[in-house]
Amino acid sequence: MKHWAHHRLFNFDVVLRKAYGVHGRMMRTQLRFPSRTILQRIIKAEEWRLQQEGLDNIEDMSFQATPLGLAEHNEHIEVTGHVREAVKPKLAQAISVRQALANWVPITMRLTNMEMLYSTNYHGRSLDLFYQRLKNAKHSILLAEVLLDDTPSIGENGDTNGTSNNDKKPTIIGMYASQAWRVSNRVYGDGECFLFRASPDTKCWKWHPEPDNNDIDSLLTNQQTIANDAILHQFMVSRDSFISMGGNPDGSCGLRLDEDLSTGESSTAVGFGNEPLHGAGRGSVFSIGLVEVYGLVRQIDGKAV
């Protein structure tokens, strides 16, 4: 091949026209390769097939995905006077967290880096700021630190605070959003959304098109099929006063954060079948410390996906 390519009679343009030519009756018609969108649909169809065969948890398969990377973040904010501080991610620093997320995100999102778009440490603690910074993020991962009496919290430098409980891991929970968060009166998102606990006792709960047996018991009567279907498909809900994922007939959610992102609520949600993300036996409402939200960018060129 090397000798042929270096021959004086070799003409790359001629070879190219023969392979992909569109002019002349003797030329082959141009080959049409599937676009990125078509490839993503094919991959989603294969993921759906695996789910139908009982392999919806990627951890059941014989390989582990490479941990998601952390994109270089060049944002700086003014702290006092002319002093500027670099914005640094904290909740996603641990490789174990990014390894778990790589196993859970859709296959098309595996070769991506996490780019921090919003942090309550740097950008303020309100849903208005949350929506402003995430309006262009087509896919995002929200990480929230749960403040419990028996677990340490994340310090300003990313370390855990506390004394006797330093041997315990901080409780980090979250949700993966398949569409951009925005204020809306409608439910949006799709079955790619999922809930998770990143630390400790790492676990993910993906949406299933059919409710689990426990979910069926929580549904009411056959006459309320439409209402039940709406609850089952309650992926992403976002108002001026809260955001949530997953729902129940009694109004509780798989995960809900209030308007200043300081209080959370988690209950078993229809369709997800999740445990309370912050842990069982603690009540459904809890306090939240640090909140960070990451967009996903391609590793090859840094473009958002």
Side-chain angles (χ1 to χ4, degrees), residues 1-2 5-6 9 15-16 27 50 55 83 120 132 153 162 166 199 219 222 232 248 254 257 262 264 275 286 303 305:
M1 176 65 72
K2 180 179 179 181
H6 284 273
L9 297 179
V15 176
L16 190 65
M27 291 290 186
L50 291 176
L55 296 176
V83 178
T120 53
Q132 288 176 21
S153 61
N166 267 346
S199 172
L219 299 180
N222 291 333
L232 178 63
N248 290 304
L257 306 182
S262 63
E275 303 168 5
F286 50 87
K303 291 185 177 181
V305 294

Side-chain angles (χ1 to χ4, degrees), residues 39-57:
L39 289 175
Q40 288 177 340
R41 290 178 182 175
I42 293 172
I43 293 173
K44 287 182 180 180
E46 287 300 301
E47 287 181 324
W48 176 261
R49 181 181 62 80
L50 291 176
Q51 289 180 3
Q52 296 300 99
E53 295 176 359
L55 296 176
D56 55 308
N57 189 345

Side-chain angles (χ1 to χ4, degrees), residues 5 7 17 64 67 80 155 186 197 222 231 244 255 266 296:
H7 194 277
R17 285 198 300 271
Q64 291 282 317
T80 55
R186 298 176 179 269
R197 184 190 304 120
N222 291 333
I231 293 171
S244 69
L255 178 59
S266 180
L296 297 175

Side-chain angles (χ1 to χ4, degrees), residues 12 41 51 60 66 68 76 93 103 126 164 169 173-174 200 226 236 241 243 253 264 272 304:
F12 179 76
R41 290 178 182 175
Q51 289 180 3
D60 294 338
T66 303
L68 298 179
H76 290 71
Q93 280 287 356
N103 291 333
S126 77
S164 62
K169 293 182 178 181
I173 64 175
I226 296 178
M236 300 168 63
S241 57
I243 60 171
C253 305
F272 291 94

Side-chain angles (χ1 to χ4, degrees), residues 117-292:
L117 302 176
Y118 172 78
S119 170
T120 53
N121 268 2
Y122 300 104
H123 305 119
R125 187 178 288 271
S126 77
L127 276 183
D128 286 340
L129 296 168
F130 172 90
Y131 290 132
Q132 288 176 21
R133 296 193 62 87
L134 292 171
K135 60 184 178 181
N136 296 321
K138 295 180 180 178
H139 306 88
S140 63
I141 298 173
L142 182 148
L143 298 174
E145 173 196 14
V146 179
L147 300 180
L148 301 172
D149 293 336
D150 56 350
T151 57
S153 61
I154 304 294
E156 288 298 318
N157 59 357
D159 299 328
T160 55
N161 296 326
T163 54
S164 62
N165 58 3
N166 267 346
D167 57 330
K168 294 186 178 181
K169 293 182 178 181
T171 300
I172 302 174
I173 64 175
M175 50 189 169
Y176 171 82
S178 60
Q179 295 183 17
W181 286 103
R182 59 188 183 275
V183 178
S184 175
N185 292 324
R186 298 176 179 269
V187 175
Y188 56 102
D190 56 36
E192 287 189 347
C193 295
F194 61 80
L195 301 165
F196 62 87
R197 184 190 304 120
S199 172
D201 188 22
T202 304
K203 198 168 184 180
C204 172
W205 293 273
K206 295 193 175 183
W207 181 81
H208 295 275
E210 294 295 333
D212 297 329
N213 291 333
N214 292 336
D215 296 333
I216 294 174
D217 293 339
S218 70
L219 299 180
L220 303 178
T221 64
N222 291 333
Q223 287 75 22
Q224 294 178 316
T225 302
I226 296 178
N228 293 340
D229 187 65
I231 293 171
L232 178 63
H233 292 82
Q234 191 166 309
F235 303 114
M236 300 168 63
V237 179
S238 50
R239 307 285 192 264
D240 290 321
S241 57
F242 72 92
I243 60 171
S244 69
M245 184 174 290
N248 290 304
D250 62 3
S252 59
C253 305
L255 178 59
R256 171 176 167 145
L257 306 182
D258 69 356
E259 59 187 336
D260 62 0
L261 303 174
S262 63
T263 303
E265 179 220 328
S266 180
S267 303
T268 301
V270 173
F272 291 94
N274 58 289
E275 303 168 5
L277 302 185
H278 59 301
R282 299 180 182 273
S284 62
V285 180
F286 50 87
S287 296
I288 295 175
L290 177 60
V291 176
E292 294 178 345

Side-chain angles (χ1 to χ4, degrees), residues 7-75:
H7 194 277
R8 62 184 180 83
L9 297 179
F10 174 78
N11 189 314
F12 179 76
D13 291 334
V14 172
V15 176
L16 190 65
R17 285 198 300 271
K18 286 184 177 180
Y20 306 105
V22 293
H23 302 293
R25 295 184 179 180
M26 300 302 294
M27 291 290 186
R28 292 164 47 190
T29 57
Q30 184 179 18
L31 298 178
R32 296 182 62 86
F33 293 95
S35 64
R36 183 180 300 275
T37 301
I38 297 299
L39 289 175
Q40 288 177 340
R41 290 178 182 175
I42 293 172
I43 293 173
K44 287 182 180 180
E46 287 300 301
E47 287 181 324
W48 176 261
R49 181 181 62 80
L50 291 176
Q51 289 180 3
Q52 296 300 99
E53 295 176 359
L55 296 176
D56 55 308
N57 189 345
I58 198 66
E59 293 178 348
D60 294 338
M61 304 180 76
S62 59
F63 63 91
Q64 291 282 317
T66 303
L68 298 179
L70 274 179
E72 294 185 6
H73 204 76
N74 297 320
E75 182 182 1

